[in-house]
Amino acid sequence: MADHFDDDCAQADAGASQSYPQQCSALRKGGHVLIKGKPCKIVETSTSKTGKHGHAKVHLVGLDIFTGKKYEDICPSTHNMEVPNVTRKELEVISLEDEFLSLMDDEGNIREDLKVADEEMSKKCKTMLEAADSGSEGSVMATVWKAMGEEKILELKHGKKN
């Protein structure tokens, strides 16, 4: 039992506000959970009984929200698992320079510390910015996801013309 307790404590760090505990039986498909320390979107859950005196177990399958990698975990339904605080924010793309985006929020604050995920997203961003500059499309918006101290641009789309 002490080993299990130590494993649970290993997931909690000084940034405890980055996640909160939730009973395993209350986790649902489409929600979020930490599996192996990674923030995951739950894509599958199943509950099973384990014998005459056993406890119900919940089998969770999740995809890392940043990488798409699949993770699985099994937890007694009465135990708690950590749920990450996941935020999603839309920022306007101003420019792309050396794979870093210049982004502006609703208050007009500029940030230039987020990198495009890969070459494909970089090409897509350049094409979208050219279309926005020519006036054929609205502004370019980046969807930034944040969880467990990590931020990543997961989507680019055209927004309304200002």
Side-chain angles (χ1 to χ4, degrees), residues 19 29 31 35 42 44 53 71 79 85 87 89 94 97 103 113 122 126 137 157-158 160:
S19 65
K29 184 176 176 180
I35 301 177
I42 301 168
E44 185 182 326
H53 298 289
Y71 290 95
H79 288 200
N85 287 315
T87 59
K89 193 168 189 177
I94 299 169
E97 186 81 30
L103 302 165
D113 60 337
S122 178
K126 287 175 187 172
E137 294 286 345
K157 62 184 178 185
H158 283 287
K160 293 181 180 175

Side-chain angles (χ1 to χ4, degrees), residues 66 99 101 115-122 152-154:
F66 297 122
E99 307 306 316
L101 291 175
K115 201 173 188 179
V116 289
D118 52 35
E119 187 64 32
E120 182 182 326
M121 186 177 276
S122 178
K152 189 169 182 181
I153 299 165
L154 294 181

Side-chain angles (χ1 to χ4, degrees), residues 2-140:
D3 290 336
H4 181 70
F5 179 75
D6 291 339
D7 289 346
D8 287 345
C9 290
Q11 289 183 2
D13 59 3
S17 65
Q18 294 180 353
S19 65
Y20 59 92
Q22 186 171 4
Q23 193 167 1
C24 202
S25 60
L27 297 171
R28 299 286 178 252
K29 184 176 176 180
H32 295 98
V33 68
L34 283 179
I35 301 177
K36 296 185 170 91
K38 303 291 184 185
C40 297
K41 181 172 186 171
I42 301 168
V43 293
E44 185 182 326
T45 65
S46 60
T47 306
S48 61
K49 291 261 183 197
T50 58
K52 187 174 181 181
H53 298 289
H55 299 288
K57 305 261 192 227
V58 178
H59 176 242
L60 296 166
V61 179
L63 297 177
D64 185 314
I65 63 173
F66 297 122
T67 66
K69 186 175 177 185
K70 182 178 174 180
Y71 290 95
E72 296 186 49
D73 199 0
I74 295 175
C75 179
S77 63
T78 56
H79 288 200
N80 285 341
M81 288 192 74
E82 288 296 311
V83 176
N85 287 315
V86 179
T87 59
R88 187 175 164 233
K89 193 168 189 177
E90 299 278 326
L91 301 170
E92 184 176 353
V93 178
I94 299 169
S95 66
L96 173 63
E97 186 81 30
D98 297 324
E99 307 306 316
F100 283 90
L101 291 175
S102 290
L103 302 165
M104 182 171 60
D105 64 16
D106 294 338
E107 291 85 41
N109 299 317
I110 306 286
R111 54 182 299 192
E112 299 173 325
D113 60 337
L114 287 175
K115 201 173 188 179
V116 289
D118 52 35
E119 187 64 32
E120 182 182 326
M121 186 177 276
S122 178
K123 287 179 184 177
K124 180 180 178 181
C125 185
K126 287 175 187 172
T127 304
M128 292 175 78
L129 283 170
E130 287 170 7
D133 288 342
S134 71
S136 64
E137 294 286 345
S139 60
V140 179

